[in-house]
Amino acid sequence: MTTNELAQPETATALQPEMPATRWGDPAHASGLPDGVRDLVSLVFPVRDTPAVIDVALPVSRITDGQLAALRELLGVEHVVTDDGSRRVRTRGKSTPDLLRQRSGDLTDAPDVVVRPGSHDDVAALLAWAGTERVAVVPFGGGTAVTGGLVADPASAGLTGVVSLDLGRMRRLLALDPVSSTATLEPGLRGPEAEALLAQHGLMLGHFPQSFEFATIGGFAATRSSGQSSAGYGRFDAMVVALRVATPAGDVRLGASPANASGPDLRELFLGSEGAFGVITEVTVRVRPLPEVKDYEGWRWASFADGADAMRQLAQADLLPTVLRLSDENETAINLADPEGIGGEGNAGCLMIVGYEGTPAAVAAKKAAVTGALTALGGTALGAEPGQSWASGRFNAPYLRDSLLDNGVLVETLETVTFWSNRENLYTRVKAALEAALPGAMVLCHVSHVYATGCSLYFTVAAPGGEDPLAAWLPAKAAACEAIVAAGASITHHHAVGTDHKPYLTAEIGEVGARVLHAVKDAVDPVGILNPGVLIP
Amino acid sequence: MTTNELAQPETATALQPEMPATRWGDPAHASGLPDGVRDLVSLVFPVRDTPAVIDVALPVSRITDGQLAALRELLGVEHVVTDDGSRRVRTRGKSTPDLLRQRSGDLTDAPDVVVRPGSHDDVAALLAWAGTERVAVVPFGGGTAVTGGLVADPASAGLTGVVSLDLGRMRRLLALDPVSSTATLEPGLRGPEAEALLAQHGLMLGHFPQSFEFATIGGFAATRSSGQSSAGYGRFDAMVVALRVATPAGDVRLGASPANASGPDLRELFLGSEGAFGVITEVTVRVRPLPEVKDYEGWRWASFADGADAMRQLAQADLLPTVLRLSDENETAINLADPEGIGGEGNAGCLMIVGYEGTPAAVAAKKAAVTGALTALGGTALGAEPGQSWASGRFNAPYLRDSLLDNGVLVETLETVTFWSNRENLYTRVKAALEAALPGAMVLCHVSHVYATGCSLYFTVAAPGGEDPLAAWLPAKAAACEAIVAAGASITHHHAVGTDHKPYLTAEIGEVGARVLHAVKDAVDPVGILNPGVLIP
């Protein structure tokens, strides 16, 4: 089935609404901290109004009039913009440091121009132009990056100026192969847009990261995203069967088959390449029938270790449900609005969310098997309410972060992944590093992605923001990263490397690994225009 | 659990028995063609005794006395050998062209010296020596390569001489992590040796390719092998969680976690690198409990298309058994010893083998679900006999090939993989290409590896050998490869690239992909000593 036969939504070529520069998401969906929550928070942290500074002028664009004229000739006048608002919302991503810098009026990383190519060929033409002009190109999807992946350093590559390559016009479902269960999507499609296009055919992708509502297909691929249903549907990189990438060295099409022995799997070089090796212009993914049933429920475990061990046993028995997540004691207490329970003994234990999706028969069979296993392992079933509660609020955390920042509370997350036998060690080290670096901090953790051989650990930190929350956070983040490296874990499970994790990458992939990344970079991007300073050590 | 605590079999450091140069496997297990089979074959093909020429002198070794002395100093006198027998059995691999060349007395590709390093450090020292001396190094595991992966061309890299780096002394289980379900294995372990070491701990790997009895862990990783239980346990590359590789540029350790977002997955560059990027010295794999139950059975389908569609539906419903394979009408007729049925209509249909392994409860649950699905799709259950018959003969085909070659019958296999929607097209094209190129050939096919989005196709060709079977086969192989490329499929599902498939690789990965392979090669092996002429287009 090709694009002519595929109904495209009316919005497919319209530009998407943009997120505010200093906040997450759709302002219409944002809400201040409810009074009850503010009262609760104020029991733990000093609360005070901390508004953003917003009337700050942007740096003067380094793009020359001649370059602007050339870009307009290349892409069309309306697709080349330099207004302050467009540049402002494409300055950095949505990590807490990114937001804090924006909120303090620091716009030093603003791109010089925003361009909106409409096709692979447009992207290829832009890359050729940028190579000749020696201007950096930063691919921009949903703008939800949280590790500095949108903060290019043109000077590091001897370049002048930054083009933000906004993929928002490339939002088509290009092809659907219902027999093979694959769909070819353009990179600018946001999560809900991609799902809506597929749902017209009774299909879905099933990738629901926290950033789902705003992040894009291209970004998912470029950063090896992982979603809340990864237990059932897999990481995004595992969903990808084929890629098309525009590189300065030429067009790349990879994925002639589901799997093969045709040498190294080069798809795996472009997955996770964070815009440094090329601009992903087409992503072919495995799709699935829309689930007829969604059944989420809660389970209680006496301890984080007990719950994690149950997850391990499910994964190793190839008995994973669709959603499987486990909060530690602190996160469980917060979920129960019981801050007094944090750090205490004899608390309410640990909450696990277990979700099943699929046909009624498949859900019934899986649920029976999983329920039997979890019961045998000592879990206590809590019924549907905790599951429904989790599902209804699953994309809300970044809005809450804004509200807390507004109230002077520093909030940030970080994540890592290791083998099961190292989980406890990693958890203890990272938690201790954060608590030591941020006196008075509340450190929460959950496991939300599991494998037969290991699991992710996702930490949420809340602390008094003080006069300079950025200055408070950066050493804590460094301490956490050093603890991760010392524990022999990966520096990131699904947030990617960007610039924030780059100092720790060589410890993970070694000197030869770093040399390989440089060699590939030189081969596909000899001038070094693509996202300079990002990813490559 | 580390190596000190792990019981090692007494054979772990002894050298393994070698396969004969001109034949497959253990001579004690080989048997001539039984009279009944010979009579059956003679109904279709002219049968005549075709013995191998074996008393041929090897080319004079190009290794100098000074180099030999240096190698002995480096690795120990007993681990550097140049006798004719040792060189002869490490000349090429076990494809039919390889065997035909050996049988005709062509030993032009013989290595000049065979070395047997005992450790990663030995391998690293050897690579350093070879770089200085400008001598090619060909890693040698089980010697079961079937696509010319052991046929290095030193002149292509400006080198003189070939060292066969035999990994047969590196056969330890280095570490076991029962909590994470991982084991770290040395590359020279043959399939049964690795399984025996794991079985002492109640564990298994579950990788059973046709070459299982002789091929090695390092070879499985270097060629992206896939085994007969891939439906349940996955391809070998999917079992690998970590790798250690000795490269001329230095030591590489990859796999800090089960999965991550730490940039490109560099494991996937060394998996499938066929000795061209480094020598794999440690492989950490996911292991599983030994299955308590093994239950294999047969199903009948009216046609190959019907059976393949049933496989597709199982895969897309995430309902795969452990073993799932389907013979086309011709292969089914041969299995039934009914050559008259080949090519006919109204034949016995197509045989599917469905195997379940695991705990009694898991097998019962999976079998009930799969049986329900296959019955609903129109399959006919044939009970356990066909499954047992397949299981008992699963590693015998290469012995049969030798017997057929002895009788003047040309036999070879080739394989490919594509998406489900292209399966029929690929099947038809490759079959037609083989039949056109080899008049009188019998072309059989099976599907033995399935994915949600596609499947492999494995062809077996038998034809009259004539005066020069190699000259008859090579154009047929080329025609089949061209048909695969024209159908947009992968040039190999699990046999790898070697030298035989190299001319077709660029069509699959593109010019930029080929450039990336060269860039990685130059980064990790600047002198180009590793398997020159293999893999890289």
Side-chain angles (χ1 to χ4, degrees):
Chain A
M1 210 178 292
T2 58
T3 188
N4 289 338
E5 303 159 60
L6 298 171
Q8 303 285 331
E10 293 189 10
T11 59
T13 55
L15 282 176
Q16 302 154 290
E18 291 168 342
M19 282 200 273
T22 57
R23 309 181 74 82
W24 176 264
D26 180 353
H29 292 169
S31 64
L33 218 49
D35 285 347
V37 177
R38 189 180 157 110
D39 291 348
L40 211 60
V41 171
S42 67
L43 293 176
V44 188
F45 300 121
V47 166
R48 57 175 187 177
D49 284 343
T50 310
V53 177
I54 51 173
D55 288 330
V56 176
L58 276 97
V60 174
S61 172
R62 290 163 288 190
I63 294 294
T64 66
D65 289 348
Q67 289 175 328
L68 268 185
L71 284 172
R72 288 172 178 146
E73 177 72 23
L74 211 57
L75 300 173
V77 172
E78 68 275 32
H79 303 312
V80 179
V81 295
T82 55
D83 63 283
D84 277 10
S86 296
R87 292 174 60 204
R88 191 188 299 268
V89 299
R90 289 175 188 78
T91 303
R92 311 189 190 100
K94 296 294 178 189
S95 69
T96 296
D98 288 343
L99 294 180
L100 290 171
R101 290 190 183 100
Q102 285 272 16
R103 292 168 73 102
S104 71
D106 173 1
L107 295 170
T108 47
D109 292 311
D112 297 285
V113 59
V114 177
V115 301
R116 294 165 172 148
S119 66
H120 174 92
D121 290 347
D122 273 3
V123 173
L126 177 79
L127 296 183
W129 176 87
T132 305
E133 294 290 321
R134 302 189 64 81
V135 173
V137 175
V138 179
F140 187 96
T144 61
V146 290
T147 58
L150 297 171
V151 187
D153 177 9
S156 71
L159 310 176
T160 305
V162 172
V163 176
S164 177
L165 191 166
D166 189 308
L167 291 153
R169 281 176 65 216
M170 294 174 66
R171 302 220 306 286
R172 289 174 298 170
L173 170 58
L174 292 176
L176 189 64
D177 178 347
V179 173
S180 306
S181 284
T182 65
T184 302
L185 301 164
E186 281 194 316
L189 282 164
R190 289 183 180 174
E193 293 173 329
E195 293 293 1
L197 286 169
L198 294 170
Q200 293 175 13
H201 304 276
L203 298 170
M204 73 158 184
L205 176 53
H207 182 65
F208 305 109
Q210 175 91 78
S211 59
F212 169 71
E213 297 170 299
F214 298 93
T216 59
I217 295 294
F220 296 150
T223 61
R224 296 184 176 273
S225 174
S226 193
Q228 294 166 356
S229 304
S230 64
Y233 304 142
R235 303 167 54 83
F236 191 80
D237 48 22
M239 298 177 181
V240 172
V241 292
L243 287 172
R244 187 177 188 190
V245 188
T247 77
D251 190 4
V252 177
R253 287 177 182 272
L254 295 167
S257 64
N260 58 60
S262 302
D265 190 343
L266 300 180
R267 293 177 294 202
E268 300 287 348
L269 270 185
F270 289 93
L271 291 165
S273 62
E274 302 186 25
F277 290 169
V279 180
I280 295 169
T281 56
E282 297 180 13
V283 183
T284 302
V285 289
R286 175 189 177 180
V287 294
R288 299 166 180 273
L290 281 166
E292 296 165 52
V293 176
K294 293 186 184 183
D295 183 346
Y296 306 140
E297 60 179 24
W299 284 75
R300 201 190 78 84
W301 297 89
S303 70
F304 195 41
D306 283 357
D309 198 61
M311 294 173 123
R312 177 179 75 85
Q313 299 213 36
L314 290 183
Q316 291 177 351
D318 294 327
L319 203 60
L320 287 175
T322 311
V323 174
L324 187 62
R325 28 195 315 126
L326 174 73
S327 294
D328 73 353
E329 289 83 353
N330 279 1
E331 191 172 282
T332 300
I334 284 286
N335 283 337
L336 297 173
D338 172 28
E340 305 268 333
I342 291 179
E345 298 295 327
N347 52 36
C350 291
L351 177 66
M352 176 187 280
I353 302 297
V354 184
Y356 307 91
E357 300 182 4
T359 62
V363 165
K366 182 64 72 73
K367 187 172 181 175
V370 172
T371 300
L374 294 183
T375 303
L377 291 166
T380 304
L382 302 177
E385 195 283 323
Q388 291 309 318
S389 173
W390 166 77
S392 68
R394 62 196 288 192
F395 304 123
N396 287 351
Y399 291 105
L400 179 62
R401 175 179 58 168
D402 284 327
S403 300
L404 288 166
L405 292 176
D406 289 341
N407 284 278
V409 179
L410 169 66
V411 184
E412 181 55 309
T413 64
L414 58 86
E415 34 76 79
T416 176
V417 51
T418 192
F419 296 103
W420 288 112
S421 58
N422 194 37
R423 184 200 59 75
E424 184 76 31
N425 173 52
L426 178 63
Y427 174 66
T428 306
R429 281 178 184 245
V430 175
K431 195 169 191 296
L434 288 166
E435 287 171 346
L438 282 173
M442 190 184 288
V443 179
L444 324 177
C445 185
H446 63 248
V447 175
S448 45
H449 307 274
V450 300
Y451 306 90
T453 57
C455 68
S456 68
L457 289 178
Y458 190 99
F459 294 89
T460 301
V461 186
E467 290 302 318
D468 189 347
L470 184 60
W473 172 248
L474 294 180
K477 168 74 174 177
C481 290
E482 284 155 18
I484 289 168
V485 170
S490 280
I491 194 64
T492 172
H493 175 263
H494 58 272
H495 280 177
V497 176
T499 47
D500 296 354
H501 291 149
K502 194 172 70 159
Y504 309 97
L505 185 59
T506 302
E508 186 165 336
I509 64 171
E511 296 288 345
V512 177
R515 199 179 307 180
V516 167
L517 292 184
H518 278 279
V520 174
K521 172 79 172 173
D522 291 344
V524 297
D525 180 20
V527 180
I529 56 171
L530 284 164
N531 233 0
V534 169
L535 176 64
I536 318 281
Chain B
M1 213 179 288
T2 57
T3 187
N4 290 339
E5 304 160 58
L6 297 170
Q8 302 286 332
E10 292 188 10
T11 58
T13 54
L15 283 175
Q16 301 154 292
E18 292 168 342
M19 283 200 274
T22 57
R23 310 181 75 81
W24 176 265
D26 180 352
H29 293 168
S31 63
L33 219 49
D35 284 346
V37 176
R38 188 179 159 112
D39 291 348
L40 211 60
V41 170
S42 67
L43 292 175
V44 188
F45 300 121
V47 166
R48 57 175 186 172
D49 284 343
T50 310
V53 176
I54 50 172
D55 288 330
V56 176
L58 276 98
V60 174
S61 172
R62 290 163 289 189
I63 294 295
T64 65
D65 289 347
Q67 289 174 328
L68 268 185
L71 285 172
R72 288 173 179 147
E73 177 73 23
L74 210 57
L75 301 173
V77 173
E78 68 277 32
H79 303 311
V80 179
V81 294
T82 56
D83 64 284
D84 277 11
S86 295
R87 292 174 61 203
R88 189 188 301 267
V89 298
R90 289 173 188 79
T91 303
R92 311 190 189 98
K94 296 295 179 187
S95 70
T96 296
D98 288 344
L99 295 180
L100 290 172
R101 290 189 183 102
Q102 286 272 16
R103 293 168 73 103
S104 72
D106 174 0
L107 295 170
T108 48
D109 293 312
D112 297 286
V113 59
V114 178
V115 301
R116 295 166 171 145
S119 66
H120 173 93
D121 290 347
D122 273 2
V123 173
L126 177 79
L127 296 184
W129 174 87
T132 305
E133 293 290 319
R134 303 189 64 82
V135 173
V137 175
V138 179
F140 187 95
T144 61
V146 290
T147 58
L150 297 171
V151 186
D153 177 8
S156 70
L159 309 176
T160 305
V162 173
V163 175
S164 178
L165 191 166
D166 189 309
L167 291 153
R169 282 176 63 215
M170 294 175 67
R171 301 219 307 287
R172 289 174 297 170
L173 170 58
L174 293 176
L176 189 64
D177 178 348
V179 174
S180 306
S181 284
T182 65
T184 302
L185 300 164
E186 281 194 314
L189 283 164
R190 289 183 180 174
E193 293 173 330
E195 294 293 1
L197 286 169
L198 294 170
Q200 293 176 12
H201 304 276
L203 299 169
M204 72 157 185
L205 177 53
H207 182 65
F208 305 108
Q210 175 91 79
S211 59
F212 169 70
E213 298 169 298
F214 299 92
T216 58
I217 294 295
F220 296 150
T223 61
R224 296 184 176 273
S225 174
S226 192
Q228 294 166 356
S229 304
S230 63
Y233 304 141
R235 302 167 54 83
F236 191 80
D237 48 22
M239 298 177 181
V240 172
V241 292
L243 287 173
R244 187 177 189 191
V245 187
T247 76
D251 191 2
V252 178
R253 286 177 183 272
L254 295 167
S257 65
N260 58 61
S262 302
D265 190 343
L266 299 181
R267 292 176 293 200
E268 299 286 349
L269 269 185
F270 290 94
L271 291 166
S273 62
E274 302 187 24
F277 290 169
V279 180
I280 296 169
T281 57
E282 297 180 14
V283 183
T284 302
V285 289
R286 174 188 177 182
V287 293
R288 300 164 180 273
L290 281 165
E292 297 166 51
V293 176
K294 293 185 184 184
D295 182 345
Y296 306 140
E297 60 180 23
W299 285 76
R300 202 190 77 85
W301 297 89
S303 69
F304 194 42
D306 284 358
D309 198 62
M311 293 174 125
R312 176 178 76 84
Q313 300 212 36
L314 290 183
Q316 292 177 351
D318 294 326
L319 202 60
L320 287 175
T322 311
V323 174
L324 187 62
R325 29 196 313 127
L326 173 74
S327 294
D328 73 352
E329 289 83 353
N330 280 0
E331 191 172 281
T332 301
I334 285 285
N335 283 337
L336 297 173
D338 171 29
E340 305 267 333
I342 293 178
E345 298 295 327
N347 54 37
C350 291
L351 177 66
M352 177 187 279
I353 302 297
V354 184
Y356 307 91
E357 299 181 4
T359 62
V363 165
K366 182 63 73 72
K367 187 171 180 175
V370 171
T371 299
L374 294 183
T375 303
L377 291 166
T380 304
L382 301 177
E385 195 283 324
Q388 292 309 319
S389 172
W390 167 77
S392 67
R394 62 197 289 193
F395 303 124
N396 287 351
Y399 290 106
L400 179 62
R401 175 180 58 168
D402 284 327
S403 300
L404 289 166
L405 292 176
D406 289 340
N407 284 277
V409 179
L410 169 66
V411 184
E412 180 57 307
T413 65
L414 58 86
E415 34 76 79
T416 175
V417 52
T418 192
F419 297 104
W420 289 112
S421 59
N422 194 37
R423 185 200 57 77
E424 184 77 30
N425 173 52
L426 178 63
Y427 174 66
T428 306
R429 280 179 186 244
V430 175
K431 195 170 192 292
L434 289 166
E435 288 171 344
L438 282 172
M442 190 184 285
V443 179
L444 323 177
C445 185
H446 63 249
V447 174
S448 45
H449 306 274
V450 300
Y451 306 90
T453 57
C455 68
S456 68
L457 289 178
Y458 190 99
F459 294 89
T460 301
V461 186
E467 289 301 317
D468 189 348
L470 183 59
W473 172 249
L474 294 179
K477 168 75 174 178
C481 289
E482 284 155 19
I484 288 168
V485 170
S490 281
I491 194 64
T492 173
H493 175 263
H494 58 271
H495 280 177
V497 176
T499 46
D500 297 354
H501 291 148
K502 195 172 71 159
Y504 309 97
L505 185 59
T506 302
E508 185 165 336
I509 64 172
E511 295 288 344
V512 177
R515 199 179 307 181
V516 166
L517 292 184
H518 278 279
V520 174
K521 173 79 173 173
D522 291 345
V524 297
D525 179 20
V527 179
I529 57 170
L530 284 164
N531 232 0
V534 170
L535 176 64
I536 317 282

